[in-house]
Amino acid sequence: MDRPLPAPGGFPIVGIVGGGQLARMCAGPAVELGITLSVLAESTQAAAAFAIPSAPVGAADDLEAVRAFARDCDVVTFDHEQVPQDVLAALVAEGVTVHPSPEALVHAQDKLVMRNRLSQMGIPCPAWAQVDDVAALRAFGEAHGWPVVLKTPRGGYDGKGVRVVRTAEDAADWFAHGEPLLAEESVDFVRELAVLVTRSPSGQASVWPIVHTVQTDGICTSVVAPAADLDEELAGELAATGLRIAGELGVTGVMAVEVFELAAGDGAAYVVNELAMRPHNSGHWTQDGSVTSQFEQHLRAVLDLPLGAVTPRSPWTVMTNVLGGDPERHGQLYPTYKHLMARDPALRIHLYGKSVRPGRKIGHVNTYGTDLAEVTARGRHAADYLQGVIDE
């Protein structure tokens, strides 16, 4: 079915541009709320297309496809940030309700815009500069020390679009494209944290407990909720910072603020790394660990419904990402269920409907309980079994 059919009772149609796993995971909460979802999917094989009946095919940068899709929706939101600003502007000009707005979303689309605005707000950030050539990068490195973290302002995720360089010449190939780059000092941090907030058009806001995100080779492999041994004063400051950013940027929906926690005595206790304005990997634990998941909360926010409680359901919840293994040996995931469900009846498995490729995020598992070490071990076992790292 390409055209969405509204549910009886006056419930709205929410359109999501992008048919990835984030849109897919909104399907359950939407059904429970009585809301109709429609997704503009990149292909018939997109993750959300398997779960949401209304899934017309179209690219996020195809203005006419997005326009036609939006005509059937009461509000439009996004599975990812890669929707061009001219497309967003055209929707707004035609009276489409778009959340988050183009003015807010640009801060998650362009890292240079984000860095400039956060610095103006006085939010702690790494030392940074826009660099347009090798000479500018060399000057930045000499001023702030090597190595330097170099980023493409747009399009990077999961470690893509990020390079650690030890000399300016290491980035010569990137400068050959003629686009400005973002140079940042290399931060010696203790751990990575994430602040997940939600804000509605009427200004209501909520924030989940601060979490610890564990990265491996630039990919988030697990999330611990709440972050263990986090100073209460710092936790409060981080929550206030996330809410302030959401308010001053006019964000609607879920936003993740990725943070580096610094060692005591380094001056600032943290610096902000990046922003994401959508349901985020750092919030997948909320599906089973919070009274209201980030996916339901996002739907509530874009419809300006009262936000749900974000109280944790358990002392500890750990989200462990499932990465793809060898598709020939471990491409069939369903047969793994019998072992995992029998071994751990409390395990919560969430797969994305994606084909298996080595290193690709194909799902996650949530575990919860009162003993963090035990909860962590259960999640690691399940993810490794699904990937084919272990066979028992």
Side-chain angles (χ1 to χ4, degrees):
M1 180 181 67
D2 284 348
R3 188 178 183 85
L5 297 176
F11 287 89
I13 297 172
V14 175
I16 304 178
V17 176
Q21 68 264 26
L22 300 180
R24 177 188 177 98
M25 286 184 278
C26 285
V31 169
E32 292 164 359
L33 291 170
I35 295 165
T36 298
L37 282 188
S38 183
V39 296
L40 184 64
E42 292 82 358
S43 75
T44 57
Q45 300 302 302
F50 293 107
I52 300 171
S54 174
V57 173
D61 59 357
D62 183 335
L63 175 57
E64 293 310 313
V66 177
R67 269 179 166 160
F69 171 74
R71 290 190 193 107
D72 294 322
C73 303
D74 295 291
V75 61
V76 171
T77 187
F78 312 101
D79 177 83
H80 55 73
E81 290 101 346
Q82 309 310 319
V83 184
Q85 281 284 313
D86 60 337
V87 172
L88 299 173
L91 295 184
V92 172
E94 294 174 5
V96 177
T97 301
V98 175
H99 292 311
S101 69
E103 295 79 9
L105 191 63
V106 69
H107 297 90
Q109 293 177 319
D110 191 313
K111 294 179 178 65
L112 285 168
V113 173
M114 178 268 293
R115 277 281 172 254
N116 187 56
R117 182 63 183 277
L118 293 184
S119 297
Q120 290 175 354
M121 293 170 60
I123 302 296
C125 294
W128 68 276
Q130 175 178 320
V131 291
D132 299 299
D133 51 36
V134 169
L137 176 58
R138 183 180 299 113
F140 181 86
E142 291 173 353
H144 298 283
W146 300 95
V148 169
V149 179
L150 201 61
K151 300 179 180 180
T152 55
R154 290 176 173 265
Y157 68 97
D158 281 352
K160 299 178 178 67
V162 178
R163 181 184 291 182
V164 178
V165 295
R166 299 188 177 280
T167 71
E169 287 69 28
D170 290 345
D173 57 327
W174 273 16
F175 286 116
H177 298 293
E179 299 293 333
L181 299 172
L182 171 64
E184 296 180 345
E185 67 172 323
S186 180
V187 176
D188 184 16
F189 57 89
V190 175
R191 60 180 170 178
E192 296 188 51
L193 304 172
V195 188
L196 196 70
V197 304
T198 313
R199 183 176 177 276
S200 65
S202 59
Q204 186 185 5
S206 65
V207 56
W208 283 271
I210 311 303
V211 301
H212 173 201
T213 64
V214 180
Q215 313 288 325
T216 305
D217 297 328
I219 298 176
C220 178
T221 48
S222 67
V223 173
V224 179
D229 301 320
L230 182 62
D231 179 78
E232 289 186 10
E233 184 175 341
L234 176 56
E237 183 179 350
L238 288 172
T241 296
L243 291 169
R244 181 184 168 212
I245 292 171
E248 293 201 23
L249 300 188
V251 174
T252 294
V254 169
M255 179 183 71
V257 183
E258 300 179 19
V259 170
F260 294 142
E261 181 184 2
L262 306 182
D266 285 351
Y270 68 94
V271 292
V272 171
N273 181 26
E274 294 188 2
L275 304 178
M277 294 183 192
R278 50 179 166 77
H280 189 254
N281 200 192
S282 65
H284 289 354
W285 70 273
T286 64
Q287 286 177 293
D288 305 295
S290 173
V291 171
T292 307
S293 76
Q294 65 167 341
F295 304 103
E296 178 180 339
Q297 198 80 312
H298 187 72
L299 294 173
R300 289 188 184 215
V302 300
L303 293 168
D304 209 10
L305 293 170
L307 299 181
V310 292
T311 311
R313 293 182 179 273
S314 180
W316 299 105
T317 301
V318 174
M319 186 284 302
T320 308
N321 273 321
V322 177
L323 304 181
D326 182 344
E328 292 189 8
R329 294 181 58 203
H330 307 290
Q332 297 300 311
L333 299 175
Y334 183 68
T336 66
Y337 277 15
K338 182 175 289 188
H339 169 77
L340 290 176
M341 292 177 178
R343 186 181 190 274
D344 188 352
L347 178 70
R348 305 298 298 169
I349 304 172
H350 302 274
L351 296 181
Y352 304 154
K354 291 182 174 181
S355 58
V356 174
R357 292 204 307 263
R360 185 188 199 187
K361 284 183 188 174
I362 56 174
H364 65 271
V365 295
N366 285 334
T367 48
Y368 48 88
T370 58
D371 184 310
L372 178 56
E374 184 260 348
V375 170
T376 301
R378 287 167 48 211
R380 185 71 269 153
H381 171 275
D384 285 348
Y385 190 85
L386 282 160
Q387 187 178 355
V389 174
I390 58 177
D391 58 8
E392 59 182 10

